[in-house]
């Protein structure tokens, strides 16, 4: 994705600031007040394109909000990778007549609007206007215009047919992901390409409330269901807001999308699974609060089964692997006994031998580790069965006793 250096620098700074927050991209879009939001996470085109924003009743001067799923039609491919992992999946549209998402007539945003999306236009797209979302020519359309050297454009009409066509100051590179936004607020239209504002054009009066040639709205299409103006490429995360997003909010969305996805089981947010994480999970198991973040096997409970999944599946290692290098060997035993906490009643963590999560290092930890079958077995195979204790277990327990006696 091409983003100007100033925008990239801003995004990096925001990434650092956002580390303390768990807000996902979708959560931020919803928090910023979207009234329609299509994420394209469906697995089959006979499913409706889900609108993530539920129905909401009228509240004072705020009108009722209507959920509006769309209908996939034509050559749509689902499950395509999006711009960043945190955005999930996207949809590819083949640009042919009849390929689009038919929206019917969603709730009109009112006299202010923001339209936002992530887009990737194919390099060989032949459409002179490649629309992301449109209710043209009665209201608005966010598109990439080949006739304007692939500038991003946000044509607008008011209710007396007045027109404004703000566009970006730079070309949108084909074959690359871009974040695109059209804003109409305070009687001014502006587009943002990768967080960079283009020109602003005034349009007074009331934003039009009419659909395309057939009165309907479309994703990846404009004017009508069989018009030649269609999107040839990938679209994702299309949202509509009944107000203007600020430049700060727009760049915040980009920064959140770029943020690496935290691995499951990474409770301290350092993008790795380490001893701090398993110790935190063990503490939650002991507390018995069933905090959803720690429910790694999604059974609505936080217990020893979650610890087992964290160790054997998420981390892919063995009980007894004190340094979490993927192996359980003599080096781990030397490490934990050197800490001097075996059977002394003192608090111990994973790296000091607390493998069963009771905050102590004792014989129960050794039994658990050797029963897991990983001692000197190399890396843990995928989906390996848990073996029964073997003769080696008894041998090493005898050695353990000898080692501890030597330390006394």
């Amino acid at each position: 994705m091409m983003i100007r250096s100033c925008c990239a620098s801003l995004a990096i700074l925001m990434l650092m600031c956002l580390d303390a927050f768990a807000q996902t991209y979708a959560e931020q879009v919803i928090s910023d007040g979207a009234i329609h939001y299509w994420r394209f996470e469906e697995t089959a085109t006979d499913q409706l394109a889900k609108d993530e924003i539920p129905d909401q009743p009228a509240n004072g001067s705020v009108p009722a909000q209507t959920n509006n799923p769309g209908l996939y039609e034509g050559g749509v491919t689902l499950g395509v990778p999006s711009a960043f992992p945190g955005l999930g999946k996207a949809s590819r549209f083949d640009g042919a007549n009849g390929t689009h998402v038919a929206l019917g007539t969603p709730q009109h945003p009112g006299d202010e609007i923001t339209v936002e999306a992530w887009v990737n236009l194919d390099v060989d797209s032949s459409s002179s206007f490649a629309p992301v979302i449109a209710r043209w020519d009665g209201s608005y359309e966010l598109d990439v215009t080949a006739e304007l050297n692939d500038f991003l454009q946000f044509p607008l009409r008011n209710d007396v047919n007045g027109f404004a066509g703000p566009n970006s100051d730079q070309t949108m590179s084909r074959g690359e992901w871009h974040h695109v936004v059209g804003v109409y607020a305070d009687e001014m239209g502006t587009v943002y390409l990768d967080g960079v504002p283009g020109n602003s054009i005034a349009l007074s009066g009331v934003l039009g409330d009419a659909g395309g040639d057939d009165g309907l709205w479309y994703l990846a299409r404009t004017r009508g269901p069989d018009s030649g103006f269609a999107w040839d490429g990938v679209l994702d995360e299309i949202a509509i807001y009944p107000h203007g997003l600020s430049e700060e909010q727009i760049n915040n969305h980009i920064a959140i999308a770029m943020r690496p996805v935290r691995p499951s089981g990474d409770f301290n947010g350092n993008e790795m699974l380490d001893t701090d994480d398993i110790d935190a999970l063990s503490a939650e198991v002991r507390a018995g609060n069933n905090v959803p973040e720690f429910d790694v096997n999604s059974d609505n409970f936080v217990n020893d089964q979650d610890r087992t999944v964290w160790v054997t599946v998420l981390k892919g290692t063995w009980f007894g692997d004190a340094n979490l290098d993927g192996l359980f060997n003599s080096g781990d035993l030397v490490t934990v006994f050197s800490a001097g906490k075996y059977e002394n009643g003192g608090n111990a963590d994973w790296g000091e031998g607390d493998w069963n999560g009771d905050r102590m290092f004792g014989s129960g930890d050794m039994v658990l580790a050797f029963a897991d079958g990983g001692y000197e077995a190399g890396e843990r195979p995928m989906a390996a069965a848990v073996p029964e204790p073997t003769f080696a277990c008894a041998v090493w327990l005898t050695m353990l006793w000898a080692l501890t006696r030597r330390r006394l």
Side-chain angles (χ1 to χ4, degrees):
M1 184 181 66
M2 296 192 64
I3 302 179
R4 289 184 180 178
S5 59
C6 61
C7 179
S9 298
L10 174 61
I12 291 170
L13 288 173
M14 294 182 71
L15 279 170
M16 294 188 293
C17 295
L18 287 165
D19 281 344
F21 299 93
Q23 195 101 337
T24 65
Y25 182 87
E27 288 170 342
Q28 190 64 58
V29 168
I30 294 170
S31 176
D32 283 340
I35 57 170
H36 298 296
Y37 182 25
W38 299 277
R39 300 202 62 212
F40 302 125
E41 298 297 319
E42 289 72 39
T43 57
T45 54
D46 59 356
Q47 300 170 350
L48 293 177
K50 181 181 178 182
D51 180 356
E52 299 288 336
I53 310 301
D55 286 332
Q56 295 182 19
N59 182 9
S61 62
V62 179
Q65 185 167 290
T66 56
N67 179 264
N68 200 102
L71 181 66
Y72 289 108
E73 295 184 333
V76 182
T77 302
L78 302 178
V80 178
S82 192
F84 297 100
L87 300 181
K89 300 301 183 181
S91 293
R92 175 176 292 280
F93 298 82
D94 66 8
N97 282 357
T99 296
H100 50 252
V101 174
L103 296 179
T105 54
Q107 178 189 16
H108 180 53
D111 292 335
E112 293 192 353
I113 182 175
T114 297
V115 178
E116 175 183 38
W118 287 86
V119 307
N120 188 332
L121 183 64
D122 279 0
V123 294
D124 57 356
S125 173
S126 59
S127 179
S128 54
F129 295 92
V132 177
I133 180 172
R135 52 183 305 185
W136 196 246
D137 57 359
S139 186
Y140 62 83
E141 173 180 306
L142 186 64
D143 65 44
V144 179
T145 307
E147 294 180 356
L148 293 176
N149 299 315
D150 285 351
F151 279 16
L152 178 67
Q153 183 178 230
F154 191 42
L156 299 159
R157 285 197 190 279
N158 62 21
D159 61 349
V160 292
N161 210 32
F163 171 82
N167 57 262
S168 62
D169 290 333
Q170 56 180 322
T171 294
M172 198 194 79
S173 300
R174 297 189 180 203
E176 298 180 10
W177 279 101
H178 296 269
H179 182 253
V180 296
V181 180
V183 175
Y184 177 67
D186 298 324
E187 298 189 339
M188 189 71 67
T190 308
V191 295
Y192 293 81
L193 176 57
D194 297 327
V196 180
N199 64 352
S200 295
I201 298 179
L203 178 66
S204 60
V206 177
L207 185 65
D209 185 11
D213 292 349
D214 55 0
L216 304 179
W217 302 20
Y218 295 92
L219 306 180
R221 170 77 55 194
T222 189
R223 294 193 183 278
D226 297 317
S227 76
F229 303 119
W231 187 268
D232 185 1
V234 190
L235 296 174
D236 199 18
E237 307 292 325
I238 301 178
I240 298 176
Y241 306 79
H243 51 260
L245 288 184
S246 68
E247 185 172 344
E248 179 181 7
Q249 288 176 307
I250 290 167
N251 279 289
N252 184 27
H253 288 195
I254 295 173
I256 293 175
M258 292 172 64
R259 186 170 55 192
V261 177
R262 179 184 295 186
S264 179
D266 173 25
F267 307 119
N268 62 6
N270 65 355
E271 299 172 24
M272 64 179 68
L273 303 187
D274 54 25
T275 57
D276 287 343
D277 297 313
I278 185 60
D279 287 336
L281 177 55
S282 296
E284 287 298 324
V285 171
R286 293 192 300 271
N289 294 326
N290 295 320
V291 177
E293 179 185 1
F294 294 89
D295 179 21
V296 297
N297 67 350
S298 301
D299 66 354
N300 297 319
F301 297 97
V302 178
N303 52 31
D304 281 332
Q305 293 181 26
D306 295 287
R307 296 183 73 258
T308 298
V309 169
W310 192 99
V311 173
T312 63
V313 178
L314 301 182
K315 186 62 179 178
T317 191
W318 308 92
F319 284 96
D321 177 14
N323 60 5
L324 293 181
D325 65 353
L327 306 172
F328 176 30
N329 52 32
S330 60
D332 296 296
L333 294 178
V334 170
T335 295
V336 295
F337 284 110
S338 296
K341 295 190 176 181
Y342 182 76
E343 300 286 11
N344 72 358
N347 288 339
D349 57 28
W350 176 274
E352 297 169 328
D354 176 28
W355 300 322
N356 65 4
D358 65 0
R359 202 68 175 97
M360 295 184 292
F361 176 32
S363 59
D365 298 289
M366 295 302 297
V367 170
L368 173 63
F370 281 103
D372 196 24
Y375 187 77
E376 300 290 4
E379 295 183 353
R380 188 177 198 106
M382 294 293 291
V386 177
E388 295 297 323
T390 63
F391 177 71
C393 175
V395 171
W396 278 102
L397 285 173
T398 302
M399 293 180 63
L400 161 65
W401 176 249
L403 284 168
T404 55
R405 294 288 295 175
R406 188 175 302 161
R407 291 182 61 86
L408 295 175

